[in-house]
Amino acid sequence: ALGQINHASSVTVLVSSLDDKNANIRNLAVKTLGEMQRPAAIEPLLLRLKDSDWHTRRQTVESLSQFANETSNAETIFSALILMLKDSSIEVRRQTVMATRRFQNRKMALALVQLIAQEDNDQVKALICETLGQTQNLDSETTPIIVRALISCLYQAAKPVRSQAVKALGLIRPPNAVLPLINVVKDAGEEVNIRGMAAVALGQIGDLQAVPYLISLLDHPDPIICSNVARALGQIGDRSAVKPMITTLKQMQTRKPLQELVVSILIEGLGKMGEEAVSPLLELLNKSCLPDPVPSQIVNILGQIGDRRAVKSLIQRLDDASGQMRYEAALALRSIGDPVAIPPLVDQLEDVQPDVVFAVALALARLGDS
């Protein structure tokens, strides 16, 4: 109640409770003082970092981190929290890593890098990697230090550490992480999920040297790897991947059961290639016997690309037996905006399905012909 009222005179009472014999009372007083964010509470809270009860120390770390915007005290608080990275309690160390995120400075990053080599708990080490990946606005000297530490974690025995290191490198996007990440993707002994995440990270970095290695894995039998490789190639956007992705897409049609997720991501990735993908997608749409929902996905992507070469084929799809296809075709024609589509769209205003009529009306509104 005193915390909710948050009157200055409450601080004295709550500070006196920090020495209570009952650890639950101390813990609650620490939590309340943190929520009140009164500067007068900072010094007493700093002393509580040495509390005998780890629950109280953990809560003190969290409460002090809420004062990160107190410019005059931020350095003192930060220095005290850095020392807590060596606390005997795993839970305190975990909370301290989380708390340091509020400071986002070079000292924080370097302290966490140093802790990676010293920390023996895999969950805490994984959390450090995650935190380093989210660190922003670092100088050109600090970032390479972080990257080297994360790359070293790719060879850790623990899966949580490796997976968070991969994700962090994808967020930071350093060019020198490309080859180590390629090695992770190629490593048949690595966890499938981590290999897939490494492919995604390569897509985020966007370096062309990764493209040949990713293409070689497009026909991988595991859908996780195949779909993430396709997503990465779409992100990188190199035209040399179009033909292999189309080939893989054709091969997918013969697989039973149809791997819809992989097919969908392949089509989505081709869409990110832009105009280069239009002709092969049209060929696939017009000449292949494709199972649902692949044709409507291709139509949707053609609309997103917006190339007028697709208009003739899309107009033909307005008479398709599938209502979903007619709907997607109308929306795709709307996106492309070619006036040639006006007469056939007007004819579809009498379609038996209301959602198709709705899409046609949107398309005609965009085209704007009187």
Side-chain angles (χ1 to χ4, degrees), residues 3-24:
Q4 290 171 340
I5 295 170
N6 198 353
H7 191 274
S9 62
S10 303
V11 175
T12 304
V13 179
L14 290 168
V15 166
S16 68
S17 298
L18 293 177
D19 293 319
D20 197 278
K21 292 181 179 180
N22 188 309
N24 290 330

Side-chain angles (χ1 to χ4, degrees), residues 95-113:
Q95 186 62 54
T96 305
V97 173
M98 295 289 289
T100 58
R101 295 181 183 183
R102 298 186 180 179
F103 292 88
Q104 291 285 324
N105 58 33
R106 185 174 189 272
K107 287 184 178 179
M108 177 210 78
L110 294 178
L112 292 178
V113 165

Side-chain angles (χ1 to χ4, degrees), residues 15-60:
V15 166
S16 68
S17 298
L18 293 177
D19 293 319
D20 197 278
K21 292 181 179 180
N22 188 309
N24 290 330
I25 298 295
R26 299 199 304 274
N27 195 44
L28 187 55
V30 166
K31 182 175 184 294
T32 304
L33 287 167
E35 291 170 348
M36 291 172 65
Q37 294 187 37
R38 295 274 181 173
I42 293 175
E43 193 64 36
L45 285 173
L46 287 169
L47 295 173
R48 199 43 50 191
L49 288 171
K50 297 180 180 179
D51 197 283
S52 59
D53 179 67
W54 70 263
H55 295 88
T56 303
R57 297 199 304 277
R58 181 182 64 178
Q59 183 57 60
T60 304

Side-chain angles (χ1 to χ4, degrees), residues 245-264:
M245 290 174 76
I246 288 289
T247 301
T248 304
L249 194 54
K250 289 178 179 177
Q251 293 171 347
M252 285 290 170
Q253 315 313 316
T254 62
R255 294 189 185 180
K256 301 294 181 182
L258 177 68
Q259 295 177 345
E260 290 188 11
L261 174 62
V262 180
V263 170
S264 177

